[in-house]
Amino acid sequence: MPKRGAPPLDADLLQGTLDLLILQSLLLGPAHGHTIAHVIEHRSDEVLQVEHGSLYPALHRLQNRGWISSEWGSSENNRKARFYRLTAAGRKQLLRQTGRWEQLVAAVNRVLRPSRGRA
Amino acid sequence: MIWKRFFKRRARREEAAAELEAHLEREAAENMERGMARDEAKRAAHIKLGNTTRILSEISEQDSFGGLETLWHDLRYGARMLVKQRGFALVSLITLALGVGANTAIFTVVDALLIRPLPFPNANRVVVAWERRMPDGERQNVTSPANFLQWQRENTVFERMAAIFNDSSILSGGDIPEQIATASVTPDFFSILGVNAAIGRVFVPGQDENATANPEAVLGFEVWQRHFASSATVLGTKITLDNKPYTVVGVMPRGFDFFIKQQSFSHKKPEIWVTMHFSAETRASHGRYLQTVGLLRPEVTPAQAQSAMIALASRIEAQDPASMKNWSVNLVPLRMQLTGDISGGLRLLLAAVGLVLLIACANVATLNLARASARRHEIAIRIALGASAKRVVRQVLTESCLLALMGGAAGLCLGCACLSLLKSIAPANLLPPESMSLDVHVFAFAAVVSIACGLLFGIIPAIDAVRVAPREPLQEGAGTVSAGKRRGFARQMLVTAEVAIALVLLTGASLLIRSFHRLTTVDPGFDPQNVLTAWVQFPNARYQKDEEKSQFFARLLDAIRALPGVRSASADGFLPFAGIIAATGVQVEGRPVLPISQLPTVDVSIVEPGFFETLGIPIISGRSFNRSEAFAASGSVVISQSMAQQLWPNESPIGKRVTIYMKRENKPSTVIGIVGDVKHAGLAGAVRPTAYWSYPELGFQFMSLVIRTQGDPRGLIPALRDTVLRVDRNQPIADVVPMETLLSMSVARTRFATRVMAAFASIAFLLAIVGIYGLVSYDVEQRTREIGIRMALGAQRTSLIGQMLKRGMGLAAVGVGLGITASLGLTRLLTSILYETRPNDPLIYLLDSMGLLALAFLAGYVAVRRISSIEPTAVLRRD
């Protein structure tokens, strides 16, 4: 549940954003889908709501591209769970996408600021 | 890599399902930790995750090939849907099959006859050159050697020209002599068409001058097989035609034939071609008997050629007014010449085919529209359950494709069947013998049109349904009282149009049938039953003197009369319905003498004694020829009733004298009898005044035997052949056919066109009825609830049935009205081919409209009958 007054954003809104967030959250170590979703929400102070429904197809897609790998294991409380791990290719991809993301943010900011200044 | 995933997709899907399950459990556990009740915790987890089916399908889509997997699912689903809706599927299939199949068959025929290039390399540059009688006489008249040679010498538009004379000759040298159709052609003939021999060579152009001494022959493929056992050694050998030797120089390829029927002396396709040479005497002859063809120079258009030739013709006319006064020239492109007399009929069929295709498309559209409305509910549910819009539309498209392809396949089968049916009922010589299989392009055309129609009308409503789904239709639920009024309008329009088109076809076919019936009940003027006819022609050289010819026929007829089963026998120069006729001017003695061109004309034939009695032509007054008149020209003439009325309207012609301009020296003949009129030129033709001489007056080289038999005339054929050979062992007979066959052959094309039109009209009729049935039954289905409510409120079943029927019949009536209006305009195009039938015959319109309405009523009634089984309580409880 979002704590702030601002409405939560759908992480899937921006094409490729979800992929980036997943890769980033796996940087710390292997995790299963549920954890990934909550890590993303938690780290964004729950501004970014991960739609769980689109999380799994995205994981599947990243795995098909060879950026993450998966294996079945036991979770903290001894439940069977599928753990995802960042591959070397995924690490490279993360760096590249982060760079591109920053460029995008900077560009958008450049566009937005002057208009704000006028207002 | 994707392959591996593809083959493991089932395991991967299960894995993903397990993963989602684990996710749900974990989420629910967390929710419970936050203090939710177990059930609510689970529910919240589900809501948060979303539609698992959708997620799984999204995942497994990544593991499959593009749409292959989806396609397979859609196909299976589509097939199940079609099996479930058997009625819809079957009607669609039949509609498509009829629309595509019948159309393809007819298109194939039209294509083979009109569109496909002629099998001659130069075909597009070949024109037929006719003389034309000005101002409004025969437009396609044969020409004379003198005129042809002048055209050939002085024209500026043709590369070369050739003359053709279709003849009939006796091919001897085998066990029995054979009467065979031949053509004399000038040496340029084959090079004008651009064809070559399969074996040996064709005639060498420009060889005319020195080859007279050594006449050459080119054999057709079939006569080569039949008569010469396909032997290659036939080249260079001599064959005998009409007692004259010809050297065989070549054999034409299989399927080569060239025959222009217009004013041809022989009415059969030639099988042997021989070189034509003009003697010094014939070079100057103005007797008209030659057909001529020319090869246009490459840069010359037919129109330019026409005007250049007209200029040449007026020059010739000025030079030689005695022979050429009022004769001009008329060029006809070869294709037009060869297809001219049938293209009208074929265009008619093509138009009918187009209309049937329209109806088929309208039916497919109606069916799809009706079903689409029914499917709105289904689509809404599928979207509510998580199907993506793209996916739904795609599924509907697959289903429509499936149906369309099945329809196309059924159409292909039906088309093949139709084509062989067409071939079997088509009159001889109408269709090219072989090489006519269902045309791929043609099939593709019809298939694409109707399939596109099916897809279009299948997919538009689906898109429409997806747009409003899932909310609207589900809210409407089964509870709508009358749904989709807006969409119903398109269907009603289509069905109305269908009825109208069907009526147009129906009236067209009815008119043709009525006309054909009128035609076949025409009295030909004689009794054609149990009469055998045969063609006897002997070479000029055989019987030099007139007495010999007369004696030959007298001996032959006596021998035939002596055969068992023969009641009487005679012979005629020009048999009714056989095609050829000679006409000339006549001058009645004692009346003002007029130039030949202003005299009344009559047909002239020569007959053996007993001719009128044998054919059953009534002798109205006077007498017919006696036996002595069969041996020597007596100057007697028997005239037909119409000739008597034309020349002697107010007096008895018997004993009157009339000069018939048919010979070199014409003396007056005395009228000895009047006989009934005969429809010589065919049943549809007008009666023409006719004069009959006895045989010796003209002493033709050919006569047609007419033999009245006791039973089936075919039984006499072997005995007749033997008898002829016994009288002269070198004399064959040809065209041995019963008179009734000649009669029915003369109307064969009309019969063919009528039958095909009738078939089209039936198909159209059927489709329109199916359309009405579909419309009304869909209407009933849609309004089941409304009907239930009304009945619960006390409405009578019968009045409800009446109301529903009225809607259907209202549309049918509007369709009939439109149809009548359209028919009145369109059937006028039939005027030229109808025999004694007015295109706006009110009786036919009345009967056809009533018939269509009656069957529409029946179809509507069958559809509406379901109302009587509707239980109001059941309907109301259903929601």
Side-chain angles (χ1 to χ4, degrees), chain B residues 606-868:
Chain B
I606 50 173
V607 298
E608 289 286 335
F611 173 74
F612 305 109
E613 295 80 354
T614 303
L615 271 193
I617 300 169
I619 295 165
I620 292 164
S621 68
R623 65 171 178 91
S624 64
F625 297 110
N626 59 36
R627 199 170 156 77
S628 69
E629 282 161 322
F631 294 99
S634 60
S636 303
V637 65
V638 172
I639 63 173
S640 73
Q641 202 171 8
S642 53
M643 181 171 167
Q645 277 156 5
Q646 189 186 343
L647 296 181
W648 293 277
N650 300 315
E651 50 190 326
S652 164
I654 307 285
K656 295 284 191 307
R657 284 156 63 85
V658 59
T659 307
I660 300 167
Y661 291 97
M662 198 76 177
K663 309 189 217 175
R664 288 228 172 81
E665 295 156 34
N666 295 289
K667 282 183 235 157
S669 304
T670 309
V671 177
I672 57 166
I674 303 170
V675 294
D677 283 318
V678 169
K679 290 258 181 178
H680 221 284
L683 290 175
V687 162
R688 292 158 65 108
T690 309
Y692 300 92
W693 264 328
S694 68
Y695 176 76
E697 297 279 352
L698 292 172
F700 288 163
Q701 288 161 256
F702 56 86
M703 286 293 270
S704 289
L705 303 176
V706 289
I707 304 156
R708 182 164 293 279
T709 57
Q710 257 146 20
D712 182 1
R714 283 181 193 82
L716 190 72
I717 295 176
L720 176 64
R721 287 190 188 280
D722 288 348
T723 310
V724 177
L725 289 175
R726 217 169 53 231
V727 173
D728 181 340
R729 68 180 177 81
N730 291 318
Q731 182 60 52
I733 51 174
D735 301 340
V736 189
V737 279
M739 194 75 217
E740 277 185 307
T741 311
L742 280 183
L743 198 76
S744 88
M745 268 161 54
S746 76
V747 292
R749 279 189 180 168
T750 320
R751 182 189 294 123
F752 179 62
T754 307
R755 277 189 190 169
V756 176
M757 264 305 274
F760 278 129
S762 321
I763 292 172
F765 194 77
L766 205 72
L767 290 177
I769 296 300
V770 167
I772 291 195
Y773 171 81
L775 183 86
V776 175
S777 69
Y778 176 73
D779 218 21
V780 171
E781 195 177 12
Q782 284 285 290
R783 309 196 339 163
T784 306
R785 189 182 149 84
E786 178 196 334
I787 293 165
I789 293 174
R790 282 177 161 197
M791 279 183 350
L793 292 176
Q796 291 296 309
R797 270 176 211 276
T798 45
S799 79
L800 284 172
I801 289 180
Q803 273 174 20
M804 300 296 288
L805 255 181
K806 215 154 68 185
R807 274 165 58 98
M809 291 310 290
L811 289 180
V814 172
V816 164
L818 287 174
I820 289 178
T821 319
S823 295
L824 282 172
L826 288 172
T827 50
R828 228 178 302 155
L829 301 176
L830 294 175
T831 313
S832 65
I833 57 169
L834 291 178
Y835 177 74
E836 289 190 357
T837 308
R838 276 184 307 144
N840 56 354
D841 189 331
L843 187 66
I844 281 182
Y845 281 75
L846 189 71
L847 286 177
D848 285 343
S849 311
M850 296 314 285
L852 193 55
L853 282 176
L855 268 170
F857 182 82
L858 202 67
Y861 181 75
V862 171
V864 163
R865 220 180 28 179
R866 191 141 34 112
I867 290 181
S868 52

Side-chain angles (χ1 to χ4, degrees), chain A residues 32-34 37-38 41 49-53 55-61 64 72 75-76 79-82 84, chain B residues 1 5 12 15-16 18-20 22-23 25-30 34 45 48-50 55 58-60 62-63:
Chain A
H32 51 71
H34 190 249
H38 282 281
E41 281 172 13
Q49 288 285 305
V50 176
E51 186 168 341
H52 293 191
L55 176 69
Y56 286 95
L59 283 168
H60 210 77
R61 190 166 56 238
N64 285 343
W72 286 90
S75 68
E76 329 70 74
R79 281 207 186 97
K80 228 169 113 73
R82 192 178 197 174
Y84 294 90
Chain B
M1 202 170 69
R5 294 212 302 272
R12 285 172 68 98
E15 230 175 274
E19 192 178 7
L20 291 184
H23 177 104
E25 270 176 36
R26 191 162 290 126
E27 183 77 20
E30 276 186 25
R34 285 194 205 118
K48 178 118 189 167
L49 183 61
I55 295 170
E58 211 175 304
I59 288 175
S60 49
Q62 295 178 21
D63 291 339

Side-chain angles (χ1 to χ4, degrees), chain B residues 143-203:
Chain B
T143 187
S144 63
N147 192 45
F148 162 69
L149 288 168
Q150 199 162 0
W151 279 353
Q152 197 179 34
R153 262 194 323 270
E154 295 176 20
N155 86 78
T156 52
V157 289
F158 295 113
E159 264 182 33
R160 32 186 105 131
M161 292 189 82
I164 305 160
F165 177 67
N166 295 312
D167 202 349
S168 183
S169 312
I170 297 171
L171 175 62
S172 44
D175 297 339
I176 38 170
E178 187 182 347
Q179 185 82 45
I180 202 158
T182 56
S184 305
V185 296
T186 54
D188 287 309
F189 172 73
F190 291 105
S191 61
I192 285 175
L193 296 180
V195 290
N196 222 323
I199 309 173
R201 61 168 174 86
V202 292
F203 303 138

Side-chain angles (χ1 to χ4, degrees), chain B residues 412-430:
Chain B
L412 188 61
C413 297
L414 193 74
C416 289
C418 279
L419 190 62
S420 43
L421 185 73
L422 278 176
K423 277 184 187 166
S424 68
I425 65 169
N429 295 336
L430 177 65

